Amino acid sequence: EAQVTQNPRYLITVTGKKLTVTCSQNMNHEYMSWYRQDPGLGLRQIYYSMNVEVTDKGDVPEGYKVSRKEKRNFPLILESPSPNQTSLYFCASSPGLTWGNQPQHFGDGTRLSIL
Amino acid sequence: GIQVEQSPPDLILQEGANSTLRCNFSDSVNNLQWFHQNPWGQLINLFYIPSGTKQNGRLSATTVATERYSLLYISSSQTTDSGVYFCAVHAGGTSYGKLTFGQGTILTVHP
């Protein structure tokens, strides 16, 4: 089954304790992206990756890191989490942006609470 | 950056009613997508529609790129249509990797 898998789905942690949210897709997609969703602010893009070893900032990259060492994985790293990073996070992928019809497929989300 | 505005912010319908959701964007775009976020939080792609009209069952969408808007039509609404509807755009030029979402329309369909 074609899917985008995020782990963990839920996490409660404390300020300053490094964490990684993994994202994996099995569709051989080139494009991957991370978003956060906050009440009243909608969905905002954190980082995106056009292909392996190519990443770029979205609208809210501060406090986050990403890497794209292989096509299927795009982990989101919070080196020193803070309470303002408490949010619902989504990973998404699509075949690529250079060939037209490219709907995004989303993971089921990761709810992070940072105390 | 590009601005995306959706209207109305909230919509309440009786089952069986029709509705139109609107998405305005401030600049030319490479693509436009409509998503439905169900009450369990899952985001489902409805349409990829940079221009023209598409239909999928009771849902259809039209994008008029030259006038910078898109419409999502829901006919004969059902309670399962409830949730939040987002449009999102990839801007043109060097920022085409960025995806910008509108604030969403919260749809509630009562039986």
Side-chain angles (χ1 to χ4, degrees):
Chain A
E1 179 189 353
Q3 58 188 3
V4 178
T5 304
Q6 296 179 226
N7 280 296
R9 294 290 316 281
Y10 305 92
L11 179 63
I12 302 173
T13 187
V14 296
T15 299
K17 185 177 181 182
K18 180 179 178 180
L19 67 91
T20 299
V21 185
T22 63
C23 175
S24 180
Q25 50 93 4
N26 62 0
M27 296 168 279
N28 201 36
H29 285 171
E30 289 190 353
Y31 181 91
M32 297 185 75
S33 185
W34 276 102
Y35 306 90
R36 61 179 288 174
Q37 185 174 20
D38 302 289
L41 297 176
L43 282 135
R44 294 176 292 167
Q45 191 175 42
I46 304 171
Y47 270 96
Y48 62 93
S49 170
M50 302 295 287
N51 211 330
V52 176
E53 301 293 358
V54 180
T55 63
D56 210 344
K57 296 177 181 178
D59 290 323
V60 288
E62 296 79 17
Y64 304 95
K65 287 175 59 177
V66 293
S67 68
R68 188 90 182 275
K69 295 180 178 153
E70 48 189 342
K71 186 179 271 192
R72 66 182 291 124
N73 296 322
F74 191 44
L76 180 70
I77 303 159
L78 285 70
E79 293 271 2
S80 183
S82 63
N84 65 11
Q85 292 177 299
T86 292
S87 187
L88 177 59
Y89 292 84
F90 288 98
C91 179
S93 72
S94 69
L97 298 184
T98 56
W99 299 308
N101 194 352
Q102 307 298 342
Q104 294 223 347
H105 302 260
F106 282 81
D108 286 339
T110 294
R111 189 168 291 280
L112 286 183
S113 293
I114 300 165
L115 307 176
Chain B
I2 194 167
Q3 304 298 313
V4 181
E5 293 183 0
Q6 291 185 243
S7 61
D10 298 275
L11 187 58
I12 299 174
L13 301 174
Q14 286 298 127
E15 203 167 26
N18 302 328
S19 62
T20 301
L21 283 59
R22 187 176 179 103
C23 172
N24 292 334
F25 42 96
S26 62
D27 206 344
S28 60
V29 297
N30 273 333
N31 75 57
L32 184 143
Q33 301 180 51
W34 283 97
F35 298 93
H36 175 221
Q37 187 169 36
N38 64 26
W40 295 271
Q42 295 173 312
L43 280 158
I44 307 298
N45 183 276
L46 297 175
F47 293 102
Y48 173 97
I49 185 166
S51 63
T53 297
K54 290 186 178 179
Q55 181 152 9
N56 184 2
R58 296 181 296 104
L59 274 60
S60 64
T62 295
T63 296
V64 184
T66 53
E67 297 187 21
R68 298 180 184 169
Y69 73 89
S70 183
L71 303 173
L72 178 69
Y73 305 97
I74 304 174
S75 64
S76 303
S77 58
Q78 301 175 358
T79 55
T80 52
D81 294 330
S82 296
V84 186
Y85 289 81
F86 292 101
C87 69
V89 301
H90 278 284
T94 57
S95 298
Y96 67 95
K98 283 190 174 182
L99 188 65
T100 301
F101 284 76
Q103 292 296 304
T105 292
I106 301 172
L107 175 65
T108 304
V109 181
H110 290 301

